[in-house]
Amino acid sequence: MAYRETEKMRQRKAEARKRIVECTYQCVAEGGFRSARITRIAGLAGVATGTIYRHFESREDLFAEIFRLATQREVDKVAEALGSPGNAAERLERALRQFAERALKGPQMAWSLIAEPVDPKVEEERLAYRKAYANLFEKAIREGIEEGCIPDQDALQSSTCLVGAIAESLVGPLSPTQTSQANSAKEDNNDPLVNSIIRFCMQGLTGTRR
């Protein structure tokens, strides 16, 4: 008789996978991908190390899954800000500010997503999500050009520059060597670091001081 997986078994597998993902996410949020050892993840999830490899072909595949999950949350937040009321320049400023503030609020995870050295498979995901951010910014820039609140320019190139500028400007503050400084950053809109980053990005985009 052919082996048939029961609904109960499928549910147990799904629950185990969910615990593995949640515990890996926790490890990365606390200490980066470097601290997410398979043995530690297995212990936290209450499974054998072999169980992890039944759900993910490799450690890199597991980390890529965590990267997609964490980054998609941030992309969704940027998209939400870009869909809020106001002209395109105002919405872009709001989205950039939210990106920076959320990064400083969770510096370890933000560092892991933006700058931590990672395996090639995870780096591929990083590049894909940088493109996702750029696509959102490009659309808003084109809308701003049509509205007249943003000068005519190469929207594709400008969107790429925005992604690079805001990510690179956060690398230093988010670095593990600056963790205490990052953790003490203000979470309000008056934070000098955030204001400085946003001012630079928006002046480059609009050509005017803000």
Side-chain angles (χ1 to χ4, degrees):
M1 179 182 293
Y3 170 78
R4 294 181 62 182
E5 188 175 69
T6 65
E7 180 59 33
K8 186 175 182 179
M9 292 175 67
R10 284 194 292 271
Q11 184 176 351
R12 287 176 60 187
K13 283 186 176 181
E15 290 173 351
R17 189 184 193 281
K18 184 173 182 288
R19 289 199 306 275
I20 291 166
V21 169
E22 289 175 344
C23 292
T24 306
Y25 190 101
Q26 176 187 338
C27 288
V28 175
E30 292 175 353
F33 287 104
R34 68 187 181 281
S35 74
R37 299 184 302 276
I38 293 298
T39 51
R40 183 186 178 206
I41 294 166
L44 289 171
V47 300
T49 56
T51 300
I52 293 177
Y53 292 112
R54 283 199 288 273
H55 290 279
F56 300 92
E57 290 186 6
S58 66
R59 172 176 172 272
E60 290 74 21
D61 284 318
L62 172 58
F63 286 0
E65 173 79 5
I66 299 306
F67 192 96
R68 284 191 294 270
L69 175 65
T71 307
Q72 189 59 54
R73 291 177 180 176
E74 301 309 312
V75 171
D76 290 344
K77 288 294 183 180
V78 167
E80 180 182 313
L82 289 172
S84 61
N87 65 41
E90 292 169 342
R91 290 183 284 112
L92 276 162
E93 181 171 348
R94 201 172 298 133
L96 291 167
R97 184 176 296 280
Q98 184 172 91
F99 181 97
E101 289 177 345
R102 285 178 62 83
L104 291 170
K105 186 177 180 180
Q108 180 58 69
M109 178 58 83
W111 165 260
S112 299
L113 299 179
I114 293 173
E116 182 181 357
V118 290
D119 296 306
K121 186 167 289 189
V122 181
E123 184 62 33
E124 288 179 10
E125 296 294 334
R126 178 177 285 161
L127 293 175
Y129 276 98
R130 285 175 73 95
K131 178 63 176 174
Y133 285 120
N135 287 342
L136 290 172
F137 292 150
E138 180 185 0
K139 181 176 182 293
I141 292 170
R142 292 190 187 282
E143 291 171 353
I145 293 172
E146 292 179 1
E147 294 170 1
C149 62
I150 295 176
D152 188 28
Q153 57 194 279
D154 184 333
L156 174 59
Q157 188 62 43
S158 294
S159 66
T160 302
C161 289
L162 276 184
V163 174
I166 194 164
E168 189 64 26
S169 65
L170 288 167
V171 168
L174 294 175
S175 170
T177 61
Q178 300 293 325
T179 298
S180 60
Q181 180 180 345
N183 283 335
S184 65
K186 297 178 184 178
E187 295 178 11
D188 57 43
N189 289 347
N190 294 319
D191 176 60
L193 174 60
V194 173
N195 285 338
S196 177
I197 293 170
I198 302 310
R199 188 179 305 113
F200 176 84
C201 290
M202 294 308 296
Q203 284 181 193
L205 186 64
T206 66
T208 59
R209 291 185 62 84
R210 303 182 70 83

